[in-house]
Amino acid sequence: MTIMQLRRLPYQERSELAVRIPAGKLRQTYILMFDHKPGHYYKQQTWRKCAQLCGIDEEELRTSLTAIIATFPAPV
């Protein structure tokens, strides 16, 4: 699955996928970025804000989170 496909999933499905991410800063950033109610939009600056809030380098965050999301099953 890609991040764009993840974004299109319903709120409940995105929330359920959070448990597949190891506990810690990556899960925390996933929740900040994707575990929100409909109506909020994914933006470029979200990566920067989440990385700062969780104390992770932005590039490390992008790489790690993208790799984890790629392991999620693709939507049907």
Side-chain angles (χ1 to χ4, degrees):
M1 174 180 307
T2 65
I3 289 178
M4 294 306 287
Q5 290 172 323
L6 176 74
R7 231 182 91 217
R8 292 185 195 108
L9 291 177
Y11 166 75
Q12 185 63 33
E13 288 182 46
R14 287 192 315 263
S15 295
E16 291 170 2
L17 289 172
V19 298
R20 297 186 63 185
I21 299 174
K25 292 183 178 186
L26 279 179
R27 185 182 292 177
Q28 184 180 2
T29 55
Y30 174 89
I31 290 169
L32 285 171
M33 292 177 71
F34 300 109
D35 196 24
H36 47 67
K37 298 289 183 192
H40 291 85
Y41 297 97
Y42 167 86
K43 296 180 182 172
Q44 182 67 24
Q45 68 186 30
T46 306
W47 287 100
R48 191 173 326 115
K49 286 180 181 178
C50 287
Q52 288 174 346
L53 286 171
C54 297
I56 299 175
D57 177 69
E58 183 179 352
E59 193 57 40
E60 176 188 346
L61 169 63
R62 284 179 180 274
T63 305
S64 301
L65 205 52
T66 301
I68 289 172
I69 290 171
T71 66
F72 292 167
V76 207

